[in-house]
């Protein structure tokens, strides 16, 4: 699903501003599925990163019980991107819903980080998801930062690949770091 504003500009509402959830299927994916007469709820996976290929993880908590993460990835070498990130951080500091965890300008260099970019990380409670989502629409009007909201259920690969919502550019992730079988080199 996507959550988007109703500004009157359909393209901007659906392409530029929405928060997406789950795997990044085409916006008309359901229509394609019906046309192709698939018997399942999604296209057959041909990509090893597709949801049907995700490893099964038994000890996940429910999303309603999970702490959520809000991530703001950015390019630390791009002065404009850093300025947008700084605007977002300043605006987000006004909210009592978000707890700033870190602004890691070198997250991309850490093989255990899911991010291949610099990232600002916040946490918030599951019961605040609706209010945080509404706040993000306003914050992104002020600072067009890329954002990603992720439930922390204890199953990071599933959380980041299938359960995350994002707005703006969907940055690539370090899927190895999210895998339960990942062991960082010594």
């Amino acid at each position: 699903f996507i959550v988007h504003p109703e500004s009157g500009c359909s393209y901007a509402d659906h392409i530029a501003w929405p928060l997406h959830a789950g795997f990044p299927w085409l916006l008309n994916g359901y229509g394609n599925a019906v046309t192709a007469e698939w018997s399942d709820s999604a296209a057959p996976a041909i990509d090893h990163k597709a949801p049907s290929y995700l490893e099964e993880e038994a000890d996940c908590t429910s999303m309603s019980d999970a702490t959520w993460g809000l991530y703001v990835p950015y390019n630390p070498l791009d002065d404009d991107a850093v300025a947008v990130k700084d605007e977002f951080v300043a605006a987000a500091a006004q909210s009592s819903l978000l707890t700033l965890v870190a602004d890691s300008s070198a997250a991309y260099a850490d093989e255990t980080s899911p991010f291949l970019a610099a990232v600002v990380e916040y946490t918030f409670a599951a019961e605040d998801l609706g209010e945080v989502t509404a706040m993000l629409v306003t914050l992104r009007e002020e600072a067009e930062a890329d954002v990603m909201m992720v439930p922390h259920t204890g199953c990071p690969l599933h959380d980041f690949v299938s359960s995350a919502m994002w707005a703006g550019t969907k940055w690539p992730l370090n899927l190895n770091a999210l895998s339960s079988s990942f062991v960082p080199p010594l």
Side-chain angles (χ1 to χ4, degrees):
F1 69 86
I2 64 172
V3 176
H4 62 83
E6 291 288 339
S7 69
C9 179
S10 182
Y11 179 83
D13 290 348
H14 291 90
I15 303 301
W17 289 100
L19 291 170
H20 303 260
F23 196 74
W25 300 109
L26 297 173
L27 290 177
N28 65 346
Y30 178 75
N32 288 342
V34 171
T35 303
E37 298 179 3
W38 297 323
S39 59
D40 215 347
S41 62
I46 57 172
D47 183 348
H48 71 279
K49 297 175 188 168
S52 62
Y53 276 76
L54 293 179
E55 42 192 272
E56 293 295 320
E57 300 182 59
D59 295 329
C60 303
T61 60
S62 75
M63 283 198 285
S64 61
D65 295 331
T67 298
W68 282 68
L70 171 65
Y71 300 92
V72 183
Y74 65 97
N75 179 351
L77 303 176
D78 181 338
D79 292 339
D80 292 337
V82 172
V84 167
K85 180 267 302 184
D86 289 342
E87 281 181 62
F88 184 92
V89 169
Q94 307 303 312
S95 172
S96 61
L97 300 173
L98 300 175
T99 302
L100 178 64
V101 175
D103 182 349
S104 180
S105 61
Y108 59 87
D110 177 1
E111 70 265 2
T112 64
S113 170
F115 291 94
L116 299 172
V119 67
V120 179
E121 179 182 359
Y122 298 90
T123 59
F124 63 93
E127 61 265 15
D128 296 328
L129 179 61
E131 205 169 338
V132 169
T133 302
M135 180 186 69
L136 280 177
V137 172
T138 303
L139 286 177
R140 288 199 71 247
E141 287 177 0
E142 297 172 21
E144 291 187 28
D146 301 323
V147 296
M148 181 180 200
M149 291 192 310
V150 179
H152 293 248
T153 69
C155 298
L157 184 62
H158 184 269
D159 294 345
F160 277 82
V161 175
S162 291
S163 299
M165 296 184 284
W166 68 93
T169 300
K170 184 174 188 308
W171 291 68
L173 297 171
N174 177 4
L175 297 179
N176 287 331
L178 296 169
S179 172
S180 61
S181 60
F182 176 67
V183 178
L186 297 175

